[in-house]
Amino acid sequence: MSLRIVVCVKYVPDATGDRKFADDLTVDRDDVDGLLSELDEYAVEQALQIAEEADDAEVTVLTVGPEDAKDALRKALSMGADKAVHVEDDDLHGTDVMGTSLVLAKAIEKTGYDVVIAGMASTDGTMGVLPAILAERLGVPQVTLLSEVSIEDGVVKGRRDGDTASEQLEASLPAVVSVTDQSGEARYPSFKGIMAAKKKPVESLELDDLDIDADEVGLAGAWTAVDSAAERPARTAGTIVKDEGEGGKQLAGFLAEQKFI
């Protein structure tokens, strides 16, 4: 039986762009370019490596987001994933991690899976808790923050590196896995991969397809919300010290005044 690998990916605002909040205090995604979250590229890479080692495997990439989120799916498909699932619904606007985990869990159950792989965090919210919440919703083990991962004989194994020690972890499938940015550099899509991605299937789902009520997601169903936001103050000009023999004393005086020394 084919090993069914589902990779959760996210379409995020470009970190190099001018990111800001919209009027409703949700992230403004219309006025900034988006892309596949860099940390999710590591999850796609590990899924592809596991599939290459397996006798028979299929990699499905899954995202929840607006129309433009298809760009994240196309990137993953061009890297080598087999197919994609896109959950898009206007009522999802403003959904927090709790609502997102519900949608992902329902979509994963509908798609079918043996292992779910995610990045350690998204590069916009950076909460890092979704894999654990997702595992709870699915009722399966979680093996998170792995820098090395493999699957053999129905068991997922991996290494989690901490500040003082490394742990060897394992869990029987089905399971949820998250990988860190130390798990291995993600491959670049080849021209052949980019062309092949255009012919790979992308299934579109709405909340009704997943039996989810609108009040369970979106801003209305969010467990967390932004109360207020203010733009970062403009950077002020620094103090220029002309060294005419007293530069060291002036620097020491400045450091003392700021209580750095």
Side-chain angles (χ1 to χ4, degrees), residues 59-154:
V59 177
T60 302
V61 285
L62 166 64
T63 197
V64 178
E67 172 68 23
D68 289 345
K70 282 188 171 66
D71 290 344
L73 295 176
R74 293 190 186 99
K75 173 70 176 292
L77 290 172
S78 66
M79 290 172 66
D82 300 299
K83 61 180 183 178
V85 177
H86 180 201
V87 183
E88 179 188 6
D89 197 297
D90 290 342
D91 288 325
L92 286 167
H93 175 72
T95 301
D96 67 355
V97 67
M98 297 303 295
T100 300
S101 66
L102 172 63
V103 176
L104 288 172
K106 293 284 190 178
I108 289 167
E109 289 174 337
K110 186 178 182 66
T111 301
Y113 72 103
D114 295 301
V115 61
V116 179
I117 304 179
M120 61 188 289
S122 64
T123 54
D124 55 354
T126 62
M127 293 186 69
V129 297
L130 187 140
I133 299 173
L134 184 57
E136 178 67 19
R137 289 197 182 275
L138 294 172
V140 300
Q142 55 169 302
V143 189
T144 54
L145 300 176
L146 300 183
S147 55
E148 185 179 274
V149 60
S150 63
I151 293 178
E152 186 176 353
D153 297 329

Side-chain angles (χ1 to χ4, degrees), residues 159-233:
R159 189 184 77 243
R160 178 191 293 157
D161 295 324
D163 292 335
T164 59
S166 293
E167 302 170 306
Q168 295 293 333
L169 308 173
E170 64 178 56
S172 58
L173 300 182
V176 173
V177 172
S178 72
V179 298
T180 72
D181 54 357
Q182 301 301 309
S183 58
E185 186 175 350
R187 68 193 68 186
Y188 288 101
S190 64
F191 177 76
K192 181 179 179 180
I194 294 172
M195 297 306 294
K198 297 180 179 180
K199 298 181 180 180
K200 293 179 179 179
V202 178
E203 180 181 7
S204 296
L205 298 174
E206 299 179 347
L207 291 179
D208 287 344
D209 298 315
L210 303 175
D211 295 324
I212 297 175
D213 295 331
D215 59 4
E216 296 181 87
V217 295
L219 282 174
W223 291 34
T224 58
V226 178
D227 290 331
S228 63
E231 291 188 12
R232 180 182 298 171

